[in-house]
């Protein structure tokens, strides 16, 4: 799988060092409060597992599963919720965790949906944010790393459901993005 990458952007130690800082900041910002964490699956799986174990606060965890890519490398803008659980969001401090902010469609849609539950507060935390003009602007409160507008995989992030199990994050070779699905 390493051979499918053009280069590694963040190795395991670099990711974990950044998670230490993010967790410390989140733990400090929410001290004496009880969080509802909403994880956007599947891409955020590794991030959520590693981040939450560094946050020693009482919290509830809920998961949303959405899809807007349908095997392409660009967002279709049509964000489909595959499973909507009913997160305990009313009057709570909600923290949305996602792997990557790209076009903004996913997080803008999720945020709008959660706002209808009248939470006390909503913040957004992403591991990666692409530096680009977004179709929908999304305010982020916590960002792990800002990256260039390239397609990345690993540490939960996939291309056609592959590469999620890589322990590091890297840029996928461009020609693989253009190959027909098999
Ligand atoms: P957005 O709706 O375009 O902001 O895309 C958000 C979702 O698309 C993320 O949660 C990812 O699942 C997926 N995504 C966006 N960019 C990438 C990438 O570079 N690699 C893998 N998945 C990506
Ligand atoms: Mg995702």
């Amino acid at each position: 799988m390493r051979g499918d990458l053009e280069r590694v952007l963040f190795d395991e130690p670099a990711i974990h060092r950044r998670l230490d800082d993010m967790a410390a900041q989140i733990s400090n910002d929410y001290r004496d409060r009880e969080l509802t964490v909403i994880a956007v699956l599947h891409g955020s799986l590794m991030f959520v597992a590693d981040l939450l174990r560094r946050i020693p606060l009482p919290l509830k965890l809920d998961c949303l599963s959405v899809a807007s890519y349908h095997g392409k490398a660009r967002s279709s803008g049509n964000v489909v919720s595959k499973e909507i659980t009913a997160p305990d969001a009313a009057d709570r401090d909600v923290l949305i965790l996602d792997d990557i902010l790209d076009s903004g469609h996913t997080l803008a849609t999720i945020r709008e949906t959660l706002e209808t539950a009248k939470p006390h507060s909503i913040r957004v935390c992403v591991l990666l944010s692409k530096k680009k003009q977004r179709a929908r602007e999304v305010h982020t409160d916590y960002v792990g790393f800002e990256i260039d507008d390239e397609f990345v995989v690993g540490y939960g992030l996939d291309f056609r459901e592959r590469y999620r199990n890589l322990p590091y994050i890297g840029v996928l070779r461009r020609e693989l993005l253009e190959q027909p699905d098999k």
Side-chain angles (χ1 to χ4, degrees):
M1 286 196 295
R2 173 68 184 85
D4 290 355
L5 300 187
E6 197 176 290
R7 64 187 190 283
V8 172
L9 286 182
F10 307 107
D11 63 12
E12 227 178 331
I15 295 170
H16 288 175
R17 275 196 305 274
R18 186 68 190 112
L19 293 189
D20 287 341
D21 294 344
M22 294 174 84
Q25 199 191 339
I26 292 167
S27 304
N28 185 51
D29 290 353
Y30 287 97
R31 64 185 178 280
D32 305 326
R33 285 147 76 182
E34 197 187 280
L35 271 173
T36 292
V37 173
I38 310 236
V40 185
L41 297 180
H42 304 332
S44 69
L45 202 72
M46 315 288 172
F47 175 43
V48 170
D50 285 342
L51 184 74
L52 292 189
R53 279 180 291 180
R54 290 169 161 79
I55 300 181
L57 296 177
L59 57 80
K60 294 184 181 178
L61 172 63
D62 223 315
C63 299
L64 288 180
S65 187
V66 298
S68 67
Y69 270 56
H70 312 296
K72 302 185 186 70
R74 289 263 164 264
S75 174
S76 64
N78 179 22
V79 178
V80 185
S81 257
K82 288 197 281 197
E83 278 159 43
I84 303 193
T85 52
D88 182 13
D91 292 324
R92 295 192 50 97
D93 292 307
V94 170
L95 181 64
I96 304 170
L97 295 187
D98 203 358
D99 51 357
I100 187 164
L101 175 59
D102 183 21
S103 72
H105 285 299
T106 305
L107 280 168
T109 304
I110 290 171
R111 197 188 174 120
E112 268 171 16
T113 308
L114 290 173
E115 264 160 9
T116 63
K118 301 262 183 288
H120 177 251
S121 70
I122 297 192
R123 286 189 184 179
V124 172
C125 172
V126 291
L127 179 62
L128 304 171
S129 173
K130 288 190 189 174
K131 287 182 266 181
K132 66 189 286 189
Q133 192 71 32
R134 299 192 206 294
R136 297 188 66 182
E137 245 349 285
V138 176
H139 175 77
T140 47
D141 299 279
Y142 307 98
V143 175
F145 303 100
E146 294 220 333
I147 61 168
D148 290 334
D149 187 11
E150 296 178 296
F151 200 85
V152 293
V153 294
Y155 195 67
L157 291 137
D158 74 303
F159 178 59
R160 296 175 181 156
E161 298 304 327
R162 297 200 186 91
Y163 309 105
R164 293 193 196 275
N165 54 325
L166 288 175
Y168 45 81
I169 297 168
V171 178
L172 192 65
R173 277 172 37 216
R174 195 174 285 267
E175 62 267 31
L176 294 173
L177 289 173
E178 283 147 18
Q179 271 176 14
D181 204 354
K182 42 177 170 66

